[in-house]
Amino acid sequence: MPGSRTANRQLGKPSWQLLFSEALRHQRDPPAEEHPLTPPGSMADTAQGATMDRILQEISAVGRKLKGMDSAMASLMVETKSMCLDIAGFQSHVTGLYQRVTSVETHIASWVDRDQELLYLRSKLIDLEDRSRRNNVNFLGFTENIEGTDIHSNLQETLPKLTGITFDPPLEFQRVHRLGPKRQDVTKRPRPIIACLLRHVQNRQLLQAA
């Protein structure tokens, strides 16, 4: 039998040789029931693969978030452009209003000067009217339409007779007219006659005689 033959061959050998040969035999012919263990490198590869998968998942989540941020940024850019256009329109409108206000201020400044000029001219006009009115003489009691069509000639003839003064040279008027609109009813109080004599001396004579 092979077992007995091997035992016969091993008889007479030292114990260390027997142990060495037994170890060599186990290395050549491992037991059938023994299973090789998982090498350490395979476990490290499995753990690294799981870590990579987790990292890829996180990167995918970050990418989705970045896509959402891109869409939000695009909408913000559209709104910003719209706001920029609105602001540009407001700026142009404000510029137009500023120009209009500037022109109005310029006109107002010119109106202030014109107002001062108008006040001066009004005072001059009032003074001239007062001066002109000082030479006016009002004649009351002359019947309506007694002067006819030429009130100037009628006064030149009538006044010397009424006052008894001989005017040399004859009376001359700068202007003479009835005050107010013409009256159709001659029975009512006649309108006064306003006359401005050319010579101040004759004006004073008439007032003294009156």
Side-chain angles (χ1 to χ4, degrees):
M1 300 218 23
S4 60
R5 195 178 298 133
T6 304
N8 293 328
R9 283 200 302 268
Q10 291 177 354
L11 293 174
K13 291 183 178 181
S15 61
W16 63 271
Q17 290 182 356
L18 291 175
L19 292 173
F20 183 73
S21 59
E22 186 69 20
L24 289 176
R25 188 175 65 79
H26 279 289
Q27 288 181 0
R28 279 198 315 269
D29 301 323
E33 64 274 6
E34 293 181 357
H35 297 283
L37 297 175
T38 304
S42 300
M43 297 179 64
D45 292 340
T46 303
Q48 186 177 3
T51 304
M52 290 298 295
D53 291 338
R54 187 168 60 254
I55 291 173
L56 289 175
Q57 291 177 0
E58 292 179 358
I59 290 174
S60 300
V62 171
R64 289 191 295 271
K65 290 182 180 180
L66 288 175
K67 287 182 180 179
M69 291 177 66
D70 288 340
S71 62
M73 288 295 294
S75 62
L76 283 175
M77 289 179 66
V78 172
E79 292 180 0
T80 303
K81 288 182 180 179
S82 177
M83 292 176 65
C84 289
L85 292 175
D86 293 339
I87 290 172
F90 290 151
Q91 286 179 347
S92 62
H93 186 64
V94 169
T95 302
L97 290 176
Y98 177 76
Q99 293 176 353
R100 292 177 62 182
V101 169
T102 303
S103 63
V104 168
E105 288 178 347
T106 304
H107 285 302
I108 289 174
S110 63
W111 290 345
V112 171
D113 297 336
R114 291 178 182 177
D115 288 341
Q116 293 178 355
E117 184 178 0
L118 286 174
L119 290 174
Y120 174 75
L121 292 176
R122 182 176 297 175
S123 64
K124 294 290 290 183
L125 179 61
I126 292 173
D127 182 66
L128 289 174
E129 288 179 350
D130 291 340
R131 289 178 181 273
S132 63
R133 287 173 181 173
R134 291 172 188 172
N135 296 325
N136 290 341
V137 179
N138 295 337
F139 298 102
L140 305 176
F142 284 86
T143 309
E144 287 282 340
N145 300 327
I146 195 175
E147 68 275 8
T149 57
D150 188 2
I151 190 172
H152 187 277
S153 300
N154 182 268
L155 289 178
Q156 281 182 332
E157 295 177 359
T158 305
L159 290 177
K161 296 178 182 179
L162 291 176
T163 59
I165 301 173
T166 302
F167 295 98
D168 186 22
L171 290 173
E172 294 186 32
F173 301 93
Q174 292 182 352
R175 56 185 178 274
V176 57
H177 62 88
R178 290 267 187 183
L179 183 63
K182 187 175 181 179
R183 293 178 180 175
Q184 301 298 329
D185 189 0
V186 295
T187 60
K188 292 184 177 180
R189 183 178 180 180
R191 294 171 297 161
I193 297 175
I194 299 177
C196 180
L197 278 77
L198 180 62
R199 295 176 179 82
H200 181 68
V201 176
Q202 293 178 349
N203 191 355
R204 189 175 59 223
Q205 288 176 345
L206 283 175
L207 292 177
Q208 289 177 353

